């Protein structure tokens, strides 16, 4: 099946994981990843509200009102999963036990900085769990629309909003392409169907290099 838009983002992010990984998925598009896992890949999904082994979104006829993900949406628990205290859940994150996380963002830059907690002009209670994830998780994948609602690039030379994490992002996936974040900057690794390298240069504020072989996102 050919995915587009946010489905494509979620499906591509899901390909980063291998069977048995212990992962955390942020609210929105990141949580969609569980619906696109490759065959034979089962994850231990940690929701910082206190679930280990959170599963795919249920059909509405099968919703258990006592089970909700970090975004307040209905979820499931896979066989062997459990509910744990909130402090233990954050202990997994802060202790470096999570293999990877997928986070949405307002801005991300070519140095691997991420800013995803303060929305200009809106009240923000704080960074929340994203700050802990950025400091305690080994692989940090940003899943985001390439541009904001005004058409401005969300992938910048330097973030202008307050940072959630500094130089921590390892991968950036948008509906247009996939960048790897390296010590030397961003590397364009894959293009979404219908896009060219020139298209990405035109809509990206950040500097980047192009891999010797550019793949196709799917």
């Amino acid at each position: 099946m050919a995915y587009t838009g946010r489905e494509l983002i979620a499906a591509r992010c899901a390909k980063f994981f291998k069977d048995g990984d212990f992962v955390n998925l942020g609210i929105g598009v990141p949580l969609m990843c569980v619906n696109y896992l490759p065959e034979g890949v089962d994850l231990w999904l940690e929701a910082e509200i206190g679930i280990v082994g959170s599963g795919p979104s249920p059909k509405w006829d099968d919703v258990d009102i006592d089970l909700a993900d970090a975004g307040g949406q209905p979820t499931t628990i896979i066989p062997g999963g459990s509910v744990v205290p909130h402090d233990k859940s954050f202990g997994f994150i802060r202790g470096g036990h999570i293999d990877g996380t997928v986070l949405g963002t307002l801005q991300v830059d070519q140095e691997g900085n991420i800013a995803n907690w303060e929305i200009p002009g809106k009240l923000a209670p704080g960074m929340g769990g994203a700050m802990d994830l950025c400091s305690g998780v080994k692989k940090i994948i940003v899943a985001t629309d390439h541009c904001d609602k005004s058409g401005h690039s969300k992938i910048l030379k330097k973030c202008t909003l307050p940072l959630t994490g500094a130089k921590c992002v390892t991968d950036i996936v948008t509906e247009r392409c996939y960048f790897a974040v390296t010590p030397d900057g961003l590397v364009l690794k894959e293009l979404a169907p219908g896009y060219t390298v020139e298209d990405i240069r035109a809509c990206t504020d950040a500097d980047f290099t192009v891999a010797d072989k550019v793949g196709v996102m799917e």
Side-chain angles (χ1 to χ4, degrees):
M1 179 183 295
Y3 298 115
T4 60
R6 295 188 171 188
E7 285 188 333
L8 178 59
I9 298 173
R12 179 58 186 87
C13 287
K15 292 174 67 175
F16 284 110
F17 302 122
K18 62 183 184 298
D19 190 44
D21 276 352
F22 191 20
V23 306
N24 179 290
L25 302 178
I27 297 170
V29 174
L31 276 171
M32 294 169 56
C33 292
V34 293
N35 299 319
Y36 300 95
L37 292 174
E39 185 176 353
V41 175
D42 292 313
L43 303 178
W44 287 99
L45 177 58
E46 189 263 359
E48 63 265 28
I49 57 170
I51 296 177
V52 174
S54 182
S57 304
K59 296 179 180 179
W60 281 108
D61 290 342
D62 299 324
V63 166
D64 182 338
I65 61 172
D66 292 321
L67 294 178
D69 60 31
Q73 298 301 308
T75 191
T76 57
I77 296 181
I78 64 174
S82 64
V83 176
V84 300
H86 206 198
D87 60 341
K88 184 176 290 294
S89 181
F90 272 87
F92 293 140
I93 297 171
R94 296 171 182 174
H97 304 291
I98 306 295
D99 295 306
T101 185
V102 182
L103 300 173
T105 198
L106 297 169
Q107 295 178 342
V108 62
D109 69 29
Q110 64 195 43
E111 297 179 3
N113 300 312
I114 178 174
N116 74 348
W117 69 276
E118 182 178 291
I119 302 174
K122 294 188 177 182
L123 176 65
M127 295 180 183
M131 175 183 66
D132 297 272
L133 291 164
C134 287
S135 63
V137 176
K138 304 162 189 173
K139 189 173 185 64
I140 298 175
I141 304 156
V142 167
T144 180
D145 293 328
H146 205 99
C147 298
D148 62 23
K149 293 179 180 179
S150 299
H152 299 127
S153 175
K154 296 175 70 173
I155 305 169
L156 309 176
K157 289 182 175 63
K158 192 77 172 179
C159 289
T160 59
L161 295 173
L163 298 185
T164 309
K167 297 182 179 180
C168 58
V169 175
T170 57
D171 304 272
I172 303 169
V173 178
T174 79
E175 81 284 6
R176 305 181 189 187
C177 68
Y178 157 48
F179 291 110
V181 184
T182 77
D184 297 321
L186 303 185
V187 179
L188 179 65
K189 292 278 193 175
E190 296 178 8
L191 290 167
Y195 286 92
T196 66
V197 173
E198 289 70 28
D199 292 333
I200 303 304
R201 291 199 188 282
C203 64
T204 306
D205 178 74
D207 297 322
F208 62 87
T209 58
V210 180
D212 291 338
K213 184 177 181 180
V214 179
V216 178
M217 287 176 64
E218 55 186 13

